[in-house]
Amino acid sequence: LVWRLYRVQANLSENLPLYLGVVFLLTLREISGTAIDALVVTYIVFRLIHSAINIAGLNPMFRIFCLAIQFGCLIALTTLTII
């Protein structure tokens, strides 16, 4: 369990800069709206689910599914930042 907790923390610290970078750019450009809010909430929820699945030691396919949704949210947020 301790090793899984360590890996969850390490994984979070690896992915956090991507998320913070996109949110920082959205803030700088003063971009907001319902779509942005929904994508941010979706990202955070699936980040938490990803961590819980990892801690519980469940099937890694569930983590990959959560990761794919998070990645899609980041791509959408980045696209909305650029446009």
Side-chain angles (χ1 to χ4, degrees):
L1 178 63
V2 173
W3 176 250
R4 283 193 290 237
L5 290 171
Y6 171 76
R7 289 300 311 147
V8 166
Q9 189 274 333
N11 186 269
L12 176 63
S13 61
E14 292 167 358
N15 290 303
L16 192 59
L18 296 171
Y19 174 73
L20 290 177
V22 171
V23 170
F24 179 70
L25 289 174
L26 287 166
T27 303
L28 277 180
R29 296 195 62 207
E30 297 179 357
I31 300 172
S32 62
T34 307
I36 302 286
D37 294 343
L39 287 168
V40 167
V41 168
T42 302
Y43 179 89
I44 292 171
V45 166
F46 277 93
R47 180 76 240 167
L48 293 171
I49 293 170
H50 180 271
S51 296
I53 290 170
N54 199 356
I55 291 169
L58 299 177
N59 187 344
M61 292 304 293
F62 296 128
R63 287 192 340 237
I64 292 171
F65 174 72
C66 291
L67 189 61
I69 292 174
Q70 292 171 57
F71 188 64
C73 288
L74 280 177
I75 290 173
L77 286 167
T78 303
T79 303
L80 291 171
T81 302
I82 294 171
I83 294 177

